[in-house]
Amino acid sequence: MKPLYIVMLGPPGAGKGTQAKQIAQELGLVHVSTGDLFRENLKNETDLGVLAQRYMNKGELVPDEVTVQMVEERLSRPDCEKGAVLDGFPRTAAQAKALDGMLGKYDAVVKAVPYIKVPDRVLVERLSGRWMSHSGRVYHEKYNPPTVKWIDDLDGSQLYQRDDDKPETVRHRIKVYNQQTAPLIDYYHDKGVLVEIDGTQAIDAVRDDILNAVRQN
Ligand code: ADP
Ligand code: ADP
């Protein structure tokens, strides 16, 4: 069986991470989030983490070269043998081309690109209420609350809010998304793999739509 790759596309706060985790579990694939990988490097104070932090704090993209290198290393690990659900990557045209090159080596292609559509005004509310677990699990104070406030349901650890989820940084991230990432909608549409998903629905309904679309593609 050829490896299966799915790319989650959508603006910051659309629900990519929330959905990618569920879809990956359902399909037996690995969830690869570049945001999580950068945050892990940041926590471990690696050179990559120190470099990435400068960009992340401002809501800017980390340069393509280091990002692509990090993803290439991640996808080459044995747990990605069956493929992966990519979340937060690619985010630029250069990254999308680099991904095609990488997958070519495994004789694989991007099979489906669920594009989660959510209007801008909803994004700020979603991100200002986002609570993160250090393991990368995502909650929302209103839409997906943990059983006990600020505590991770699964491991009991303390949840936190991301520094870059402040409204002014969020607005800049949305701008960066519109300039640098939105062009990928056409890129994947032209390849015939894009599927538009209504991201304003409840989390479970969004998941069902994505699974149906991926299974049909
Ligand atoms: P992204 O990875 O695209 O930035 P997340 O998955 O982190 O988005 O979701 C952003 C915030 O919105 C989180 O707090 C999450 O719990 C919440 N959220 C995700 N999907 C939905 C949804 N369908 N309805 C309401 N809130 C959602
Ligand atoms: P969101 O949940 O808002 O979609 P992410 O967790 O995916 O955000 O990303 C957080 C930050 O990490 C980005 O603002 C950016 O600085 C950096 N980042 C993540 N993925 C990439 C990427 N593919 N290319 C460049 N920078 C990235």
Side-chain angles (χ1 to χ4, degrees):
M1 276 256 289
K2 281 189 188 178
L4 173 61
Y5 294 90
I6 293 166
V7 167
M8 307 298 295
L9 199 59
K16 300 181 296 298
T18 302
Q19 297 299 335
K21 277 197 181 56
Q22 302 197 42
I23 305 297
Q25 195 171 19
E26 194 71 30
L27 301 176
L29 300 174
V30 178
H31 170 213
V32 172
S33 155
T34 40
D36 287 351
L37 290 173
F38 283 132
R39 281 184 287 278
E40 216 175 280
N41 274 281
L42 220 139
K43 204 169 92 191
N44 296 332
E45 298 178 355
T46 66
D47 290 348
L48 176 62
V50 173
L51 181 136
Q53 186 169 30
R54 295 211 306 266
Y55 298 92
M56 294 170 84
N57 282 347
K58 290 188 283 187
E60 298 281 347
L61 295 184
V62 180
D64 286 334
E65 207 185 298
V66 277
T67 305
V68 166
Q69 212 173 21
M70 176 178 78
V71 172
E72 191 153 26
E73 189 280 319
R74 181 67 190 88
L75 293 184
S76 71
R77 291 194 217 159
D79 62 341
C80 289
E81 206 174 59
K82 287 202 265 173
V85 179
L86 296 173
D87 160 20
F89 181 90
R91 251 181 162 94
T92 63
Q95 291 181 13
K97 291 204 179 76
L99 177 65
D100 288 344
M102 278 180 230
L103 299 192
K105 289 189 208 157
Y106 309 127
D107 191 25
V109 289
V110 172
K111 183 168 185 273
V113 180
Y115 161 41
I116 309 180
K117 271 182 89 164
V118 176
D120 285 2
R121 62 185 157 73
V122 178
L123 300 175
V124 182
E125 194 204 354
R126 284 204 184 166
L127 293 178
S128 32
R130 171 157 72 179
W131 294 351
M132 301 283 294
S133 146
H134 284 282
S135 58
R137 264 184 298 279
V138 187
Y139 297 88
H140 190 282
E141 62 175 338
K142 195 154 117 200
Y143 303 121
N144 185 24
T147 313
V148 181
K149 251 187 163 183
W150 293 108
I151 299 293
D152 188 341
D153 284 348
L154 290 188
D155 63 18
S157 65
Q158 188 77 27
L159 302 177
Y160 71 98
Q161 277 186 297
R162 274 170 48 178
D163 286 341
D164 58 346
D165 279 347
K166 308 189 275 287
E168 64 271 25
T169 319
V170 165
R171 276 190 281 274
H172 186 64
R173 280 157 59 206
I174 295 171
K175 213 157 101 189
V176 170
Y177 166 82
N178 284 324
Q179 284 167 352
Q180 303 202 52
T181 309
L184 298 185
I185 298 167
D186 282 346
Y187 181 82
Y188 286 118
H189 179 264
D190 292 348
K191 287 181 181 283
V193 287
L194 192 87
V195 214
E196 270 194 28
I197 304 288
D198 175 4
T200 62
Q201 308 173 87
I203 293 175
D204 287 356
V206 176
R207 183 204 53 216
D208 292 346
D209 280 4
I210 296 176
L211 280 173
N212 282 335
V214 169
R215 286 180 172 138
Q216 274 167 26
N217 249 35

